[in-house]
Amino acid sequence: MDTEMLQEKTKKRLPGPVKYALGFLGVTLACALFALLGVIWVLEKGPSPTATETFTRSVRETSAIRWVARIFLSEEELEQYKSVSSPIEEGKDVNTSLIHMAESVEEEDEGPGYELLDISEGTCKGKLLIVYDPRRVILGTSDNFGKEPGWELTEMVERYGAIAGINAGGFNDEGGRGNGSTPQGIVIDDGEITWGANHASGFHLVGLDEDGILHVGFMTAQQARDARIRWAVSFETYDGLASALIVNGEVQKQNLGGGVNPRTAIGQREDGALLLLVLDGRSISTLGATMQDICDIMLEYGAVNAGNLDGGSSTVMVYGGKIINNCASVVGPRRIPTAFLLMEEGDVDG
């Protein structure tokens, strides 16, 4: 009897309008959930194979919501959308003789030595930073890999006193909860292997050698030493796609899988100039870019070699002390372990 009286009093304490509002909110949320599931069902099981493939590959590239692909698709069905790069092509070496460094160092009209462009190609939007002297680009790293959180890119740029920067290598990010502490693969910082030196296998490497020449491909730690790599990171997608997108002017088609997402990439022209590219995504203005989109833009701007870097919610470019592209992360810029940074000319040795 006492319990019934308590429940009756509780009901009386809750005003009618509040009960109606809560009920309306509950119904609205339920309708939104069913509508969302309906959209996902159409994308995964609907009549358009192209839409299914694009959606599935896109979400499988993410760390936080890649499980969405499994809502209506079985593991057997998902297997056909898994991209695997070719180990034979991964071993293709960059021909350093194709890069003629001397032509890139001369700055036209005594300008700053770099050019910042807005990119709008088809459905892709973003920023492209062209650096004439590649030796002004170094790798920035956070402190104590594997122990302390990474840094946001704005912090990285500020701590190094850099002009600009883009996010670089991948990091462990299970379930989208990574804090940028633990890099993927290998990290080479000013000629020293600071992460991955003890791994016996090779790495998908993107880096610059002592002459400022960009290397993209598959290397062991010893091969990286032999190539005099000074700054380098690793990145590969969750489905195993390698970083090498363009090697010696040829598009590496076996690495062009994946879906539509924000992208970060680095390329190099024949004259040595570096192309630092970020492409936005997951927004109303642009859903994102494919690997082919990266290649098309890089080729348009003269890239001889180009490599894919960590993308998605990590894709960020900082210039003038602030983020200048549309960061896709709903919680703000992510913490990252590494970044490629543009330095003042006097801050770079040799």
Side-chain angles (χ1 to χ4, degrees):
M1 187 66 177
D2 291 340
T3 302
E4 293 178 359
M5 291 178 63
L6 181 59
Q7 291 176 343
E8 187 66 28
K9 288 181 180 180
T10 302
K11 290 179 182 179
K12 290 181 179 179
R13 288 175 189 164
L14 196 62
V18 175
K19 288 192 292 185
Y20 293 137
L22 291 175
F24 177 78
L25 179 61
V27 171
T28 301
L29 290 175
C31 290
L33 177 60
F34 281 119
L36 179 60
L37 288 173
V39 171
I40 294 174
W41 186 91
V42 170
L43 290 171
E44 293 186 356
K45 306 292 284 189
S48 172
T50 300
T52 300
E53 179 175 359
T54 300
F55 176 78
T56 303
R57 289 185 183 277
S58 298
V59 296
R60 281 176 65 88
E61 286 185 323
T62 69
S63 53
I65 62 168
R66 63 194 320 261
W67 54 269
V68 170
R70 296 188 177 91
I71 293 179
F72 297 111
L73 295 175
S74 66
E75 289 298 329
E76 290 74 17
E77 290 173 311
L78 288 174
E79 191 66 24
Q80 64 182 308
Y81 302 118
K82 183 177 181 180
S83 305
V84 180
S85 57
S86 165
I88 298 175
E89 290 297 322
E90 286 171 3
K92 189 172 184 178
D93 293 330
V94 166
N95 183 356
T96 57
S97 67
L98 297 177
I99 308 300
H100 307 289
M101 196 65 62
E103 299 175 16
S104 70
V105 180
E106 296 182 6
E107 300 175 5
E108 298 181 4
D109 300 327
E110 297 183 353
Y114 59 87
E115 186 178 3
L116 182 61
L117 304 177
D118 290 318
I119 296 296
S120 182
E121 303 285 340
T123 59
C124 300
K125 295 181 180 180
K127 301 288 184 180
L128 176 65
L129 182 63
I130 305 175
V131 182
Y132 303 141
D133 185 352
R135 289 165 293 193
R136 292 180 59 181
V137 174
I138 71 168
L139 187 71
T141 62
S142 60
D143 290 335
N144 297 323
F145 289 154
K147 297 179 180 179
E148 296 184 13
W151 299 342
E152 292 183 11
L153 183 56
T154 49
E155 181 183 7
M156 190 92 70
V157 169
E158 181 180 2
R159 290 199 185 200
Y160 275 81
I163 297 172
I166 61 172
N167 64 293
F171 57 92
N172 292 353
D173 191 28
E174 190 64 34
R177 296 185 296 272
N179 63 1
S181 170
T182 306
Q184 279 186 355
I186 193 171
V187 175
I188 303 179
D189 183 1
D190 203 7
E192 179 184 354
I193 300 178
T194 58
W195 188 262
N198 296 325
H199 292 201
S201 59
F203 310 91
H204 297 290
L205 180 145
V206 178
L208 298 162
D209 67 21
E210 293 176 354
D211 297 320
I213 296 178
L214 179 69
H215 292 252
V216 291
F218 194 79
M219 287 188 182
T220 63
Q222 187 57 51
Q223 287 172 327
R225 293 187 185 97
D226 294 341
R228 300 181 298 115
I229 302 298
R230 186 177 182 186
W231 317 100
V233 295
S234 293
F235 178 68
E236 64 179 58
T237 69
Y238 282 97
D239 282 343
L241 286 175
S243 298
L245 296 181
I246 302 174
V247 179
N248 303 329
E250 297 181 0
V251 174
Q252 306 301 290
K253 296 185 181 299
Q254 78 282 354
N255 293 334
L256 298 188
V260 177
N261 277 299
R263 305 287 183 186
T264 304
I266 184 171
Q268 188 167 46
R269 303 189 315 204
E270 184 180 2
D271 65 359
L274 287 180
L275 308 173
L276 308 183
L277 177 68
V278 295
L279 297 172
D280 297 331
R282 302 176 190 171
S283 68
I284 296 176
S285 61
T286 174
L287 293 177
T290 65
M291 301 290 193
Q292 183 65 60
D293 290 328
I294 297 176
C295 292
D296 291 343
I297 294 171
M298 284 290 183
L299 290 173
E300 179 181 350
Y301 285 89
V304 176
N305 299 297
N308 183 45
L309 299 171
D310 194 8
S313 55
S314 298
T315 290
V316 175
M317 179 181 285
V318 168
Y319 178 76
K322 62 182 181 180
I323 296 172
I324 60 171
N325 70 305
N326 293 323
C327 177
S329 175
V330 296
V331 295
R334 303 206 65 184
R335 293 179 177 272
I336 56 176
T338 56
F340 282 115
L341 305 175
L342 168 61
M343 307 298 291
E344 294 285 357
E345 190 170 10
D347 294 339
V348 182
D349 296 330

